[in-house]
Amino acid sequence: MIYMSKTSDFRPYHEFTRFEPSEMVQRAEDFYTLLSKRRSVRSFSSEEIPDEVLDYAIKCAGTAPNGANKQPWHFVIVKDPQKKREIRIAAEKEEHLFYNERAPEDWLADLEQFDTNEHKPFIEEAPALIAIFSQSYHIKESGKQEKHYYVKESVGIATGMLITALHQAGLATLTHTPSPMGFLNELLGRPKHEKAFLLLVCGYPKEGVEVPNIQKKPLNHIRTII
Ligand code: IYR
């Protein structure tokens, strides 16, 4: 019997664009140049940013490759000053415990070069936070659970694409991970089957901001050709 799939639906990939090799190299170099200028900042201007930039950046994140196209993510944009304040208070509570009780000595030593501490004024200063949630499953209208696959990988890739899109559009970000982040479900009204993955702080860098003078590993340290 000939196997006939009932659910597959394929179409030509007409939007794929092919370039000459020399143009490919140029595009690759240009994109590297753009990405090499991305830095995490910990001090933000409170200047407003265009809502549409955040929306397009989240649409970019939503294009990420992911397990079985389940798209196991949800993004909450937080602009409300009162909500940001509540998030800052809850995050600083966890950070206080991290810096004073939970973090081992060598972890604190590794963080010294970044001058971080338990105080997180940027959570309130920045015009927007994007709280990224991962979904281990989806609850269908019937109440039945639909499993998601490779959730951390999928949400990690989407987050990388989100950060890249925001940088490309001209915004600075900080990947902030107060740990544990369970308080975000409660403050942002997200269901129990979602887990806060990361809090992305977005905005313009504060005038005169400085960044740690650190380097990325050179190519020959991070790649092998066999
Ligand atoms: N979450 C803490 C600590 C921290 C941990 C790492 I690893 C960093 O790269 C930066 C900070 C904080 O935000 O201060």
Side-chain angles (χ1 to χ4, degrees):
M1 203 179 93
I2 299 167
Y3 174 71
M4 297 248 291
S5 167
K6 292 192 189 93
T7 51
S8 67
D9 178 21
F10 280 65
R11 64 156 178 87
Y13 182 13
H14 38 65
E15 60 272 51
F16 182 84
T17 314
R18 211 185 143 112
F19 304 100
E20 290 303 319
S22 61
E23 194 180 349
M24 288 171 72
V25 174
Q26 190 59 55
R27 291 173 65 93
E29 184 184 343
D30 289 349
F31 199 60
Y32 165 69
T33 301
L34 174 73
L35 283 199
S36 66
K37 292 178 181 163
R38 187 204 58 77
R39 294 299 306 263
S40 293
V41 298
R42 291 188 167 77
S43 191
F44 288 82
S45 151
S46 50
E47 202 179 325
E48 284 301 308
I49 57 178
D51 290 336
E52 268 187 293
V53 171
L54 298 185
D55 284 347
Y56 271 117
I58 290 171
K59 283 177 77 140
C60 288
T63 69
N66 65 91
N69 197 34
K70 300 289 184 184
Q71 304 167 62
W73 42 60
H74 189 83
F75 303 88
V76 181
I77 300 176
V78 186
K79 303 201 300 178
D80 176 54
Q82 179 56 32
K83 206 42 94 177
K84 286 194 286 184
R85 178 155 195 78
E86 289 168 20
I87 292 173
R88 176 182 178 183
I89 291 167
E92 285 185 338
K93 209 159 129 190
E94 297 300 347
E95 296 292 358
H96 176 83
L97 288 169
F98 174 82
Y99 283 96
N100 294 286
E101 291 174 32
R102 292 180 185 144
E105 279 307 308
D106 49 356
W107 191 344
L108 291 177
D110 277 338
L111 290 180
E112 256 170 41
Q113 58 186 324
F114 304 105
D115 236 355
T116 57
N117 57 45
E118 67 197 70
H119 304 293
K120 306 296 177 191
F122 53 74
I123 295 177
E124 281 189 272
E125 284 165 4
L129 313 169
I130 304 178
I132 302 158
F133 290 87
S134 65
Q135 304 166 327
S136 49
Y137 56 89
H138 169 71
I139 304 170
K140 296 188 14 177
E141 270 180 29
S142 62
K144 205 171 160 270
Q145 290 183 11
E146 185 183 72
K147 209 179 146 13
H148 289 171
Y149 311 98
Y150 297 101
V151 170
K152 281 191 181 154
E153 292 83 349
S154 301
V155 179
I157 295 166
T159 299
M161 293 172 68
L162 175 64
I163 293 166
T164 304
L166 291 167
H167 171 69
Q168 197 281 144
L171 287 177
T173 57
L174 175 67
T175 44
H176 183 38
T177 51
S179 173
M181 274 189 285
F183 63 85
L184 285 174
N185 286 65
E186 203 182 308
L187 291 179
L188 302 177
R190 299 310 303 168
K192 276 206 294 285
H193 69 286
E194 291 189 2
K195 194 172 184 319
F197 181 74
L198 199 135
L199 188 63
L200 195 66
V201 185
C202 308
Y204 300 108
K206 191 177 268 179
E207 184 92 353
V209 79
E210 293 196 341
V211 294
N213 195 8
I214 50 173
Q215 313 301 327
K216 294 299 182 195
K217 293 177 182 174
L219 182 62
N220 62 357
H221 283 222
I222 64 170
R223 83 89 162 80
T224 299
I225 304 175
I226 293 174

PDB file of all heavy atoms in Angstrom, residues 65-91:
ATOM      1  N   PRO A  65      13.489  28.738  14.902  1.00  0.00           N
ATOM      2  CA  PRO A  65      13.286  27.294  14.770  1.00  0.00           C
ATOM      3  C   PRO A  65      13.001  26.720  16.153  1.00  0.00           C
ATOM      4  O   PRO A  65      13.571  27.184  17.153  1.00  0.00           O
ATOM      5  CB  PRO A  65      14.628  26.790  14.229  1.00  0.00           C
ATOM      6  CG  PRO A  65      15.624  27.836  14.592  1.00  0.00           C
ATOM      7  CD  PRO A  65      14.875  29.143  14.636  1.00  0.00           C
ATOM      8  N   ASN A  66      12.108  25.758  16.236  1.00  0.00           N
ATOM      9  CA  ASN A  66      11.716  25.244  17.554  1.00  0.00           C
ATOM     10  C   ASN A  66      11.134  23.845  17.410  1.00  0.00           C
ATOM     11  O   ASN A  66      10.752  23.436  16.317  1.00  0.00           O
ATOM     12  CB  ASN A  66      10.697  26.200  18.193  1.00  0.00           C
ATOM     13  CG  ASN A  66       9.391  26.254  17.428  1.00  0.00           C
ATOM     14  OD1 ASN A  66       8.472  25.495  17.711  1.00  0.00           O
ATOM     15  ND2 ASN A  66       9.303  27.113  16.402  1.00  0.00           N
ATOM     16  N   GLY A  67      11.057  23.120  18.526  1.00  0.00           N
ATOM     17  CA  GLY A  67      10.633  21.721  18.504  1.00  0.00           C
ATOM     18  C   GLY A  67       9.209  21.542  17.986  1.00  0.00           C
ATOM     19  O   GLY A  67       8.255  22.054  18.575  1.00  0.00           O
ATOM     20  N   ALA A  68       9.076  20.816  16.879  1.00  0.00           N
ATOM     21  CA  ALA A  68       7.784  20.440  16.290  1.00  0.00           C
ATOM     22  C   ALA A  68       6.858  21.645  16.067  1.00  0.00           C
ATOM     23  O   ALA A  68       5.627  21.495  16.086  1.00  0.00           O
ATOM     24  CB  ALA A  68       7.093  19.375  17.141  1.00  0.00           C
ATOM     25  N   ASN A  69       7.455  22.800  15.856  1.00  0.00           N
ATOM     26  CA  ASN A  69       6.718  24.050  15.616  1.00  0.00           C
ATOM     27  C   ASN A  69       5.650  24.329  16.683  1.00  0.00           C
ATOM     28  O   ASN A  69       4.607  24.913  16.399  1.00  0.00           O
ATOM     29  CB  ASN A  69       6.072  24.066  14.221  1.00  0.00           C
ATOM     30  CG  ASN A  69       5.671  25.478  13.795  1.00  0.00           C
ATOM     31  OD1 ASN A  69       6.347  26.461  14.135  1.00  0.00           O
ATOM     32  ND2 ASN A  69       4.563  25.609  13.084  1.00  0.00           N
ATOM     33  N   LYS A  70       5.956  23.925  17.920  1.00  0.00           N
ATOM     34  CA  LYS A  70       4.989  24.190  19.003  1.00  0.00           C
ATOM     35  C   LYS A  70       5.108  25.619  19.516  1.00  0.00           C
ATOM     36  O   LYS A  70       4.247  26.087  20.253  1.00  0.00           O
ATOM     37  CB  LYS A  70       5.197  23.196  20.161  1.00  0.00           C
ATOM     38  CG  LYS A  70       5.012  21.743  19.771  1.00  0.00           C
ATOM     39  CD  LYS A  70       3.568  21.409  19.488  1.00  0.00           C
ATOM     40  CE  LYS A  70       3.404  19.923  19.201  1.00  0.00           C
ATOM     41  NZ  LYS A  70       2.016  19.580  18.835  1.00  0.00           N
ATOM     42  N   GLN A  71       6.242  26.293  19.175  1.00  0.00           N
ATOM     43  CA  GLN A  71       6.442  27.697  19.552  1.00  0.00           C
ATOM     44  C   GLN A  71       6.167  27.902  21.050  1.00  0.00           C
ATOM     45  O   GLN A  71       5.239  28.625  21.425  1.00  0.00           O
ATOM     46  CB  GLN A  71       5.570  28.590  18.673  1.00  0.00           C
ATOM     47  CG  GLN A  71       5.869  28.339  17.178  1.00  0.00           C
ATOM     48  CD  GLN A  71       4.857  28.929  16.228  1.00  0.00           C
ATOM     49  OE1 GLN A  71       4.688  30.140  16.202  1.00  0.00           O
ATOM     50  NE2 GLN A  71       4.195  28.075  15.457  1.00  0.00           N
ATOM     51  N   PRO A  72       7.004  27.243  21.881  1.00  0.00           N
ATOM     52  CA  PRO A  72       6.701  27.134  23.309  1.00  0.00           C
ATOM     53  C   PRO A  72       7.124  28.358  24.128  1.00  0.00           C
ATOM     54  O   PRO A  72       7.841  28.226  25.120  1.00  0.00           O
ATOM     55  CB  PRO A  72       7.514  25.904  23.725  1.00  0.00           C
ATOM     56  CG  PRO A  72       8.743  25.993  22.861  1.00  0.00           C
ATOM     57  CD  PRO A  72       8.284  26.568  21.542  1.00  0.00           C
ATOM     58  N   TRP A  73       6.674  29.531  23.701  1.00  0.00           N
ATOM     59  CA  TRP A  73       7.134  30.760  24.353  1.00  0.00           C
ATOM     60  C   TRP A  73       6.008  31.758  24.504  1.00  0.00           C
ATOM     61  O   TRP A  73       5.000  31.723  23.800  1.00  0.00           O
ATOM     62  CB  TRP A  73       8.264  31.387  23.527  1.00  0.00           C
ATOM     63  CG  TRP A  73       8.032  31.367  22.039  1.00  0.00           C
ATOM     64  CD1 TRP A  73       6.994  31.952  21.345  1.00  0.00           C
ATOM     65  CD2 TRP A  73       8.844  30.720  21.048  1.00  0.00           C
ATOM     66  NE1 TRP A  73       7.132  31.713  19.993  1.00  0.00           N
ATOM     67  CE2 TRP A  73       8.255  30.958  19.784  1.00  0.00           C
ATOM     68  CE3 TRP A  73      10.029  29.979  21.107  1.00  0.00           C
ATOM     69  CZ2 TRP A  73       8.789  30.475  18.591  1.00  0.00           C
ATOM     70  CZ3 TRP A  73      10.563  29.493  19.918  1.00  0.00           C
ATOM     71  CH2 TRP A  73       9.946  29.745  18.676  1.00  0.00           C
ATOM     72  N   HIS A  74       6.208  32.669  25.451  1.00  0.00           N
ATOM     73  CA  HIS A  74       5.316  33.828  25.570  1.00  0.00           C
ATOM     74  C   HIS A  74       6.158  35.009  26.054  1.00  0.00           C
ATOM     75  O   HIS A  74       7.037  34.841  26.900  1.00  0.00           O
ATOM     76  CB  HIS A  74       4.161  33.556  26.539  1.00  0.00           C
ATOM     77  CG  HIS A  74       3.136  34.638  26.488  1.00  0.00           C
ATOM     78  ND1 HIS A  74       2.141  34.673  25.527  1.00  0.00           N
ATOM     79  CD2 HIS A  74       2.980  35.755  27.238  1.00  0.00           C
ATOM     80  CE1 HIS A  74       1.417  35.770  25.699  1.00  0.00           C
ATOM     81  NE2 HIS A  74       1.905  36.445  26.735  1.00  0.00           N
ATOM     82  N   PHE A  75       5.888  36.177  25.494  1.00  0.00           N
ATOM     83  CA  PHE A  75       6.673  37.377  25.799  1.00  0.00           C
ATOM     84  C   PHE A  75       5.751  38.411  26.437  1.00  0.00           C
ATOM     85  O   PHE A  75       4.711  38.743  25.860  1.00  0.00           O
ATOM     86  CB  PHE A  75       7.277  37.951  24.507  1.00  0.00           C
ATOM     87  CG  PHE A  75       8.142  36.967  23.760  1.00  0.00           C
ATOM     88  CD1 PHE A  75       7.585  36.096  22.819  1.00  0.00           C
ATOM     89  CD2 PHE A  75       9.505  36.887  24.010  1.00  0.00           C
ATOM     90  CE1 PHE A  75       8.386  35.173  22.139  1.00  0.00           C
ATOM     91  CE2 PHE A  75      10.307  35.967  23.331  1.00  0.00           C
ATOM     92  CZ  PHE A  75       9.745  35.104  22.389  1.00  0.00           C
ATOM     93  N   VAL A  76       6.120  38.903  27.598  1.00  0.00           N
ATOM     94  CA  VAL A  76       5.312  39.947  28.248  1.00  0.00           C
ATOM     95  C   VAL A  76       6.122  41.241  28.254  1.00  0.00           C
ATOM     96  O   VAL A  76       7.222  41.293  28.819  1.00  0.00           O
ATOM     97  CB  VAL A  76       4.938  39.571  29.703  1.00  0.00           C
ATOM     98  CG1 VAL A  76       4.088  40.664  30.338  1.00  0.00           C
ATOM     99  CG2 VAL A  76       4.198  38.235  29.739  1.00  0.00           C
ATOM    100  N   ILE A  77       5.582  42.273  27.598  1.00  0.00           N
ATOM    101  CA  ILE A  77       6.226  43.590  27.608  1.00  0.00           C
ATOM    102  C   ILE A  77       5.709  44.333  28.832  1.00  0.00           C
ATOM    103  O   ILE A  77       4.495  44.477  29.003  1.00  0.00           O
ATOM    104  CB  ILE A  77       5.884  44.393  26.331  1.00  0.00           C
ATOM    105  CG1 ILE A  77       6.359  43.641  25.081  1.00  0.00           C
ATOM    106  CG2 ILE A  77       6.507  45.793  26.395  1.00  0.00           C
ATOM    107  CD1 ILE A  77       5.962  44.322  23.763  1.00  0.00           C
ATOM    108  N   VAL A  78       6.621  44.779  29.673  1.00  0.00           N
ATOM    109  CA  VAL A  78       6.219  45.518  30.872  1.00  0.00           C
ATOM    110  C   VAL A  78       6.672  46.967  30.731  1.00  0.00           C
ATOM    111  O   VAL A  78       7.878  47.240  30.715  1.00  0.00           O
ATOM    112  CB  VAL A  78       6.832  44.905  32.155  1.00  0.00           C
ATOM    113  CG1 VAL A  78       6.285  45.601  33.399  1.00  0.00           C
ATOM    114  CG2 VAL A  78       6.579  43.404  32.222  1.00  0.00           C
ATOM    115  N   LYS A  79       5.689  47.870  30.650  1.00  0.00           N
ATOM    116  CA  LYS A  79       5.995  49.307  30.554  1.00  0.00           C
ATOM    117  C   LYS A  79       5.472  50.057  31.780  1.00  0.00           C
ATOM    118  O   LYS A  79       5.923  51.150  32.089  1.00  0.00           O
ATOM    119  CB  LYS A  79       5.325  49.904  29.300  1.00  0.00           C
ATOM    120  CG  LYS A  79       5.731  49.224  28.003  1.00  0.00           C
ATOM    121  CD  LYS A  79       5.486  50.088  26.780  1.00  0.00           C
ATOM    122  CE  LYS A  79       4.019  50.453  26.628  1.00  0.00           C
ATOM    123  NZ  LYS A  79       3.796  51.338  25.475  1.00  0.00           N
ATOM    124  N   ASP A  80       4.505  49.449  32.456  1.00  0.00           N
ATOM    125  CA  ASP A  80       3.827  50.095  33.579  1.00  0.00           C
ATOM    126  C   ASP A  80       4.801  50.338  34.751  1.00  0.00           C
ATOM    127  O   ASP A  80       5.392  49.383  35.273  1.00  0.00           O
ATOM    128  CB  ASP A  80       2.671  49.192  34.029  1.00  0.00           C
ATOM    129  CG  ASP A  80       1.967  49.744  35.244  1.00  0.00           C
ATOM    130  OD1 ASP A  80       1.535  50.904  35.208  1.00  0.00           O
ATOM    131  OD2 ASP A  80       1.898  49.020  36.266  1.00  0.00           O
ATOM    132  N   PRO A  81       4.972  51.625  35.165  1.00  0.00           N
ATOM    133  CA  PRO A  81       5.951  51.934  36.219  1.00  0.00           C
ATOM    134  C   PRO A  81       5.685  51.179  37.535  1.00  0.00           C
ATOM    135  O   PRO A  81       6.631  50.725  38.184  1.00  0.00           O
ATOM    136  CB  PRO A  81       5.792  53.450  36.434  1.00  0.00           C
ATOM    137  CG  PRO A  81       5.161  53.958  35.177  1.00  0.00           C
ATOM    138  CD  PRO A  81       4.322  52.831  34.636  1.00  0.00           C
ATOM    139  N   GLN A  82       4.424  51.033  37.894  1.00  0.00           N
ATOM    140  CA  GLN A  82       4.101  50.331  39.142  1.00  0.00           C
ATOM    141  C   GLN A  82       4.518  48.862  39.048  1.00  0.00           C
ATOM    142  O   GLN A  82       5.088  48.305  39.994  1.00  0.00           O
ATOM    143  CB  GLN A  82       2.587  50.468  39.435  1.00  0.00           C
ATOM    144  CG  GLN A  82       2.120  49.756  40.693  1.00  0.00           C
ATOM    145  CD  GLN A  82       2.878  50.186  41.953  1.00  0.00           C
ATOM    146  OE1 GLN A  82       3.313  51.345  42.077  1.00  0.00           O
ATOM    147  NE2 GLN A  82       3.064  49.245  42.888  1.00  0.00           N
ATOM    148  N   LYS A  83       4.265  48.238  37.899  1.00  0.00           N
ATOM    149  CA  LYS A  83       4.631  46.824  37.705  1.00  0.00           C
ATOM    150  C   LYS A  83       6.154  46.672  37.712  1.00  0.00           C
ATOM    151  O   LYS A  83       6.707  45.737  38.313  1.00  0.00           O
ATOM    152  CB  LYS A  83       4.010  46.341  36.397  1.00  0.00           C
ATOM    153  CG  LYS A  83       3.735  44.868  36.291  1.00  0.00           C
ATOM    154  CD  LYS A  83       3.152  44.215  37.505  1.00  0.00           C
ATOM    155  CE  LYS A  83       1.653  44.134  37.502  1.00  0.00           C
ATOM    156  NZ  LYS A  83       1.124  43.407  38.686  1.00  0.00           N
ATOM    157  N   LYS A  84       6.830  47.619  37.054  1.00  0.00           N
ATOM    158  CA  LYS A  84       8.303  47.562  37.055  1.00  0.00           C
ATOM    159  C   LYS A  84       8.835  47.674  38.480  1.00  0.00           C
ATOM    160  O   LYS A  84       9.785  46.993  38.855  1.00  0.00           O
ATOM    161  CB  LYS A  84       8.883  48.685  36.171  1.00  0.00           C
ATOM    162  CG  LYS A  84       8.720  48.417  34.683  1.00  0.00           C
ATOM    163  CD  LYS A  84       9.576  49.347  33.831  1.00  0.00           C
ATOM    164  CE  LYS A  84       9.032  50.734  33.792  1.00  0.00           C
ATOM    165  NZ  LYS A  84       9.757  51.647  32.915  1.00  0.00           N
ATOM    166  N   ARG A  85       8.211  48.533  39.260  1.00  0.00           N
ATOM    167  CA  ARG A  85       8.618  48.709  40.655  1.00  0.00           C
ATOM    168  C   ARG A  85       8.460  47.399  41.428  1.00  0.00           C
ATOM    169  O   ARG A  85       9.356  46.981  42.168  1.00  0.00           O
ATOM    170  CB  ARG A  85       7.777  49.829  41.284  1.00  0.00           C
ATOM    171  CG  ARG A  85       8.082  50.070  42.724  1.00  0.00           C
ATOM    172  CD  ARG A  85       7.757  51.490  43.209  1.00  0.00           C
ATOM    173  NE  ARG A  85       8.414  51.717  44.489  1.00  0.00           N
ATOM    174  CZ  ARG A  85       9.707  51.988  44.613  1.00  0.00           C
ATOM    175  NH1 ARG A  85      10.467  52.115  43.541  1.00  0.00           N
ATOM    176  NH2 ARG A  85      10.238  52.136  45.814  1.00  0.00           N
ATOM    177  N   GLU A  86       7.311  46.746  41.234  1.00  0.00           N
ATOM    178  CA  GLU A  86       7.057  45.471  41.930  1.00  0.00           C
ATOM    179  C   GLU A  86       8.087  44.423  41.505  1.00  0.00           C
ATOM    180  O   GLU A  86       8.567  43.639  42.332  1.00  0.00           O
ATOM    181  CB  GLU A  86       5.634  44.973  41.625  1.00  0.00           C
ATOM    182  CG  GLU A  86       4.549  45.808  42.292  1.00  0.00           C
ATOM    183  CD  GLU A  86       3.134  45.498  41.768  1.00  0.00           C
ATOM    184  OE1 GLU A  86       2.929  44.412  41.182  1.00  0.00           O
ATOM    185  OE2 GLU A  86       2.254  46.349  41.942  1.00  0.00           O
ATOM    186  N   ILE A  87       8.417  44.419  40.215  1.00  0.00           N
ATOM    187  CA  ILE A  87       9.416  43.449  39.721  1.00  0.00           C
ATOM    188  C   ILE A  87      10.784  43.754  40.332  1.00  0.00           C
ATOM    189  O   ILE A  87      11.496  42.856  40.784  1.00  0.00           O
ATOM    190  CB  ILE A  87       9.472  43.456  38.174  1.00  0.00           C
ATOM    191  CG1 ILE A  87       8.171  42.886  37.605  1.00  0.00           C
ATOM    192  CG2 ILE A  87      10.679  42.672  37.654  1.00  0.00           C
ATOM    193  CD1 ILE A  87       8.040  42.985  36.088  1.00  0.00           C
ATOM    194  N   ARG A  88      11.129  45.045  40.381  1.00  0.00           N
ATOM    195  CA  ARG A  88      12.427  45.418  40.968  1.00  0.00           C
ATOM    196  C   ARG A  88      12.512  44.967  42.429  1.00  0.00           C
ATOM    197  O   ARG A  88      13.520  44.366  42.841  1.00  0.00           O
ATOM    198  CB  ARG A  88      12.623  46.936  40.884  1.00  0.00           C
ATOM    199  CG  ARG A  88      13.913  47.364  41.566  1.00  0.00           C
ATOM    200  CD  ARG A  88      14.125  48.847  41.538  1.00  0.00           C
ATOM    201  NE  ARG A  88      15.346  49.194  42.257  1.00  0.00           N
ATOM    202  CZ  ARG A  88      15.779  50.428  42.451  1.00  0.00           C
ATOM    203  NH1 ARG A  88      15.081  51.449  41.972  1.00  0.00           N
ATOM    204  NH2 ARG A  88      16.892  50.662  43.113  1.00  0.00           N
ATOM    205  N   ILE A  89      11.450  45.222  43.179  1.00  0.00           N
ATOM    206  CA  ILE A  89      11.462  44.854  44.603  1.00  0.00           C
ATOM    207  C   ILE A  89      11.652  43.343  44.765  1.00  0.00           C
ATOM    208  O   ILE A  89      12.487  42.883  45.548  1.00  0.00           O
ATOM    209  CB  ILE A  89      10.178  45.357  45.311  1.00  0.00           C
ATOM    210  CG1 ILE A  89      10.212  46.890  45.395  1.00  0.00           C
ATOM    211  CG2 ILE A  89      10.009  44.725  46.689  1.00  0.00           C
ATOM    212  CD1 ILE A  89       8.889  47.550  45.773  1.00  0.00           C
ATOM    213  N   ALA A  90      10.898  42.579  43.969  1.00  0.00           N
ATOM    214  CA  ALA A  90      10.984  41.106  44.072  1.00  0.00           C
ATOM    215  C   ALA A  90      12.352  40.611  43.598  1.00  0.00           C
ATOM    216  O   ALA A  90      12.942  39.699  44.210  1.00  0.00           O
ATOM    217  CB  ALA A  90       9.868  40.467  43.252  1.00  0.00           C
ATOM    218  N   ALA A  91      12.872  41.212  42.517  1.00  0.00           N
ATOM    219  CA  ALA A  91      14.168  40.773  41.986  1.00  0.00           C
ATOM    220  C   ALA A  91      15.279  41.095  42.991  1.00  0.00           C
ATOM    221  O   ALA A  91      16.166  40.272  43.240  1.00  0.00           O
ATOM    222  CB  ALA A  91      14.444  41.445  40.648  1.00  0.00           C
TER     223      ALA A  91
END
